[in-house]
Amino acid sequence: MNSSDYLISVIVPLYRGQKYMAKMTAQIEACAAYLEDGRIELVYSNDEPDEQPENPETSSVISVRFLETDQNRGIHGARVRGFENSSGEYVLFLDQDDKIVPDYFVSQLQAIGREDAVVCNAVSGGRLKYDADRSLPDAASRACMVQKGNQILSPGQVLMKRSAVPGCWLRHILCHNGADDWLLWLCMHGEGKRFTVNARVLFIREVHYHNASLDCGKMTLSEREVYRIVEENRLLTDGERTALAALLPMLQEQRMRENEKWKRMFLLLRDWFLLEHRGLSLAGYLRERGMCLIAVYGYGYLGRTVVEQLTGTAQMSGNGGIASDNKDSKKVETAYIIDKNAAFLRAERPCYTLEDALPPADGVLITVMTGEAGGLAERIREKLKVPVFCLETVIGEMTAEYA
């Protein structure tokens, strides 16, 4: 196969990423099997000089290339190097631990049409990225990029035509990791490239503690660098650049608020872990108060943890095993989930909004942090006429009681 024959180039920067290569190669092979014309090249752009795989991946289904390096360029530089050593008519940038569904390219190629890029729906941390508060079409728009920041979760959501990759993004390599994808979308909009969207969920990302987007300081530096490049190259209108300048401190403040929430969640989970280590379970706390069929309000990280833990406790009891706190006691189960974005959740339990007709339950456990709960407890109590608990308060009471 000649280098000019490739239909799609998948570019994957690697940083200490040898352990991800086998799975990445396998999933791109699975995607190629769905294509009538499965001409895909997978380009690994290594960004760690001290890690050179002894046996780089090979494939009989797709072309696999591995670019060695003598320097650390950062993820933006690694992506650009991969692009410059590829030749596909369409381009997809994936991170080393990203996941896409097998018919990703079939669906994206059908959706892109005459446009320059197509953005698919995504799952992040077990829930849909786009919901009642954040629409997919809005996320891909020029106005959103300028006024709200980057609402596209990852470049892995975006299949683009090679001709749409802007020269400005290729020339101006960010020194600080974190916002090079935002720069890519701004450069594309600045050049008048057109985006469309694909409502199908084709991309999956898990949030890890090492994700660059969680580092407030690095993200701030990277976003400032993006603004400087946009300003120096006059990529946007005067009004848009003014809006972008005003957005930067707002993004920093928003990220600091989020980090405060994450810190509180960490402390809550730490106390919860210590209680469990002592044999004191959330299920036991609820059971002592006659709460065996629980509705869980909020299906974020804490809500999912509650549902998973109660499911595990119920399975242990139901299978004749010994629950950690009382082997003779009745199991505690999640009846259903209440969340304002119920229609956008992926859960094994029924999901409702607070405005829906709700089934019976012994009680409701609110898993959003108390500072965000507002008058939720009273509203739920008034509607269901059952006891309502806040997870943060429950863990605090348990910790105080058994300290």
Side-chain angles (χ1 to χ4, degrees):
M1 184 181 294
N2 296 323
S3 61
S4 60
D5 288 338
Y6 297 116
L7 175 68
I8 298 164
S9 295
V10 180
I11 297 161
V12 181
L14 293 177
Y15 185 76
R16 299 177 183 172
Q18 184 172 357
K19 58 183 176 291
Y20 298 105
M21 292 176 66
K23 287 184 178 179
M24 177 60 70
T25 301
Q27 72 170 338
I28 302 304
E29 288 177 335
C31 290
Y34 274 73
L35 286 169
E36 291 184 7
D37 186 357
R39 295 173 294 130
I40 300 177
E41 63 171 346
L42 173 56
V43 180
Y44 288 110
S45 179
N46 191 28
D47 199 40
E48 171 53 277
D50 296 330
E51 182 178 277
Q52 306 292 345
E54 296 178 1
N55 298 300
E57 290 292 308
T58 60
S59 171
S60 60
V61 179
I62 60 175
S63 170
V64 181
R65 300 181 59 200
F66 183 85
L67 305 179
E68 296 185 357
T69 186
D70 58 357
Q71 61 179 298
N72 176 256
R73 295 172 172 82
I75 192 167
H76 187 180
R79 284 172 174 158
V80 169
R81 184 165 181 254
F83 176 81
E84 291 174 342
N85 286 273
S86 68
S87 59
E89 180 182 351
Y90 295 87
V91 176
L92 175 67
F93 294 105
L94 286 178
D95 288 348
Q96 59 192 14
D97 57 349
D98 283 345
K99 297 177 183 178
I100 57 177
V101 302
D103 63 338
Y104 179 98
F105 295 118
V106 171
S107 184
Q108 292 284 71
L109 288 170
Q110 289 174 345
I112 195 170
R114 296 173 178 266
E115 309 306 317
D116 297 295
V118 56
V119 187
C120 72
N121 208 334
V123 168
S124 174
R127 65 185 294 155
L128 286 174
K129 171 67 175 176
Y130 305 98
D131 51 33
D133 298 321
R134 180 190 292 133
S135 78
L136 178 57
D138 181 56
S141 71
R142 179 173 179 141
C144 180
M145 288 293 171
V146 172
Q147 298 169 12
K148 298 179 182 178
N150 185 14
Q151 301 291 310
I152 296 177
L153 175 65
S154 166
Q157 289 175 251
V158 186
L159 182 69
M160 66 192 79
K161 294 176 179 175
R162 185 176 199 84
S163 58
V165 178
C168 185
W169 182 77
L170 296 173
R171 292 191 303 272
H172 296 279
I173 307 299
L174 296 184
C175 297
H176 301 96
N177 285 337
D180 70 286
D181 48 343
W182 188 30
L183 177 61
L184 176 57
W185 316 138
L186 288 170
C187 289
M188 290 175 69
H189 280 298
E191 291 186 0
K193 305 302 182 184
R194 297 181 303 181
F195 288 74
T196 188
V197 298
N198 183 352
R200 283 199 56 205
V201 176
L202 305 175
F203 177 86
I204 303 97
R205 166 167 287 181
E206 292 299 329
V207 178
H208 302 291
Y209 64 88
H210 52 71
N211 288 137
S213 59
L214 297 180
D215 190 316
C216 185
K218 288 183 179 178
M219 282 301 298
T220 297
L221 291 173
S222 190
E223 287 163 352
R224 288 176 181 172
E225 199 175 352
V226 166
Y227 173 75
R228 178 183 58 76
I229 293 169
V230 170
E231 178 68 24
E232 289 177 355
N233 289 272
R234 298 299 209 214
L235 293 175
L236 305 172
T237 67
D238 291 345
E240 287 173 330
R241 295 199 305 275
T242 299
L244 205 62
L247 175 64
L248 295 183
M250 294 169 58
L251 291 175
Q252 184 177 10
E253 182 180 348
Q254 176 184 321
R255 197 170 289 112
M256 290 177 67
R257 289 197 303 268
E258 290 175 350
N259 284 355
E260 285 298 314
K261 184 176 76 172
W262 282 102
K263 183 166 66 176
R264 289 175 60 199
M265 287 172 59
F266 162 77
L267 294 173
L268 184 151
L269 289 168
R270 180 203 61 181
D271 289 346
W272 189 358
F273 173 83
L274 292 174
L275 288 167
E276 293 284 340
H277 185 65
R278 297 168 185 165
L280 305 168
S281 71
L282 176 63
Y285 178 97
L286 296 170
R287 186 165 44 238
E288 287 175 3
R289 289 153 181 79
M291 306 289 111
C292 292
L293 196 61
I294 297 295
V296 174
Y297 183 95
Y299 201 58
Y301 289 104
L302 291 178
R304 289 198 302 278
T305 302
V306 167
V307 171
E308 289 169 3
Q309 202 218 38
L310 293 183
T311 299
T313 302
Q315 288 175 342
M316 285 178 66
S317 301
N319 292 331
I322 299 176
S324 61
D325 52 332
N326 188 336
K327 67 180 180 180
D328 299 317
S329 51
K330 188 177 179 181
K331 61 186 179 181
V332 178
E333 297 182 274
T334 303
Y336 54 89
I337 295 158
I338 309 171
D339 193 291
K340 66 179 181 178
N341 288 308
F344 302 91
L345 299 182
R346 291 188 156 193
E348 295 182 359
R349 293 289 186 273
C351 300
Y352 305 93
T353 69
L354 194 52
E355 287 68 38
D356 293 331
L358 300 176
D362 296 331
V364 178
L365 185 64
I366 296 175
T367 63
V368 298
M369 303 302 284
T370 52
E372 304 169 313
L376 263 179
E378 189 56 39
R379 288 176 59 201
I380 297 171
R381 195 177 294 112
E382 179 65 25
K383 179 161 186 171
L384 286 176
K385 313 297 183 188
V386 297
V388 178
F389 303 90
C390 287
L391 178 64
E392 195 173 6
T393 303
V394 168
I395 298 300
E397 290 179 358
M398 293 174 68
T399 300
E401 182 176 352
Y402 296 106

